[in-house]
Amino acid sequence: NIGDGGSLFIGEALKVNNTLTSLDVHANDIEAAGLKLIASALKVNRSLTYLRLAFNEIRNGGSQFIGEALEVNNTLTTLDMTGCKIGDEGLKFIAQALKVSDTLTSLYLCWNCIQDTGLGYISEALKVNKTLPFLKMTWND
């Protein structure tokens, strides 16, 4: 498992790598602290288009970091956060980013304990976002 410690190495590599387009780190015990390192790199990375974070313990704290990165990243087209336990509060950060992101085209938010409040956040974001044609939210509460 990569964990938060290994996320440091991934983050450092993403800051300078200009060729990697796809990164799959699903089910690697990455929590908010580790995602902060990866998300920081996404703010400057200009090659990554696909990021699979599924089934890591990101929760709402980590969602804030990825949301902030999505607001400035202009290459990521697919983000998979399936089973990351982000809940409604975590979705708030992702939804806020969707209001300004113009590159994300596929977003997976399945199995995240999202309820009506979270659906309200995403609904408001989708009213503004004009570039996200694919959103998958199956198996939520």
Side-chain angles (χ1 to χ4, degrees):
N1 287 338
I2 292 170
D4 290 342
S7 296
L8 172 65
F9 299 112
I10 292 171
E12 291 301 315
L14 287 176
K15 285 181 181 178
V16 296
N17 183 286
N18 293 317
T19 56
L20 188 69
T21 59
S22 181
L23 178 62
D24 184 342
V25 291
H26 81 278
N28 267 293
D29 292 327
I30 297 171
E31 297 182 7
L35 186 59
K36 182 177 183 179
L37 301 168
I38 294 172
S40 175
L42 287 177
K43 292 179 180 179
V44 296
N45 180 278
R46 296 296 174 244
S47 63
L48 201 67
T49 59
Y50 174 90
L51 179 58
R52 186 171 187 214
L53 298 168
F55 300 105
N56 283 293
E57 297 289 324
I58 292 168
R59 302 186 183 272
N60 64 350
S63 296
Q64 179 177 359
F65 303 129
I66 198 73
E68 291 169 357
L70 288 174
E71 289 183 11
V72 296
N73 179 284
N74 62 3
T75 57
L76 197 66
T77 59
T78 302
L79 176 62
D80 185 350
M81 295 185 70
T82 298
C84 290
K85 302 177 183 174
I86 65 170
D88 291 341
E89 288 306 304
L91 185 56
K92 184 191 315 184
F93 299 112
I94 304 301
Q96 187 64 36
L98 285 177
K99 290 180 180 179
V100 296
S101 172
D102 61 358
T103 56
L104 206 60
T105 58
S106 297
L107 179 59
Y108 297 82
L109 295 170
C110 309
W111 293 345
N112 270 301
C113 306
I114 296 167
Q115 298 179 347
D116 290 348
T117 301
L119 290 174
Y121 297 142
I122 201 77
S123 174
E124 290 302 311
L126 292 175
K127 290 177 185 176
V128 178
N129 182 287
K130 304 294 182 214
T131 59
L132 184 73
F134 182 86
L135 172 63
K136 188 167 186 177
M137 297 183 66
T138 57
W139 295 97
N140 279 288
D141 290 341

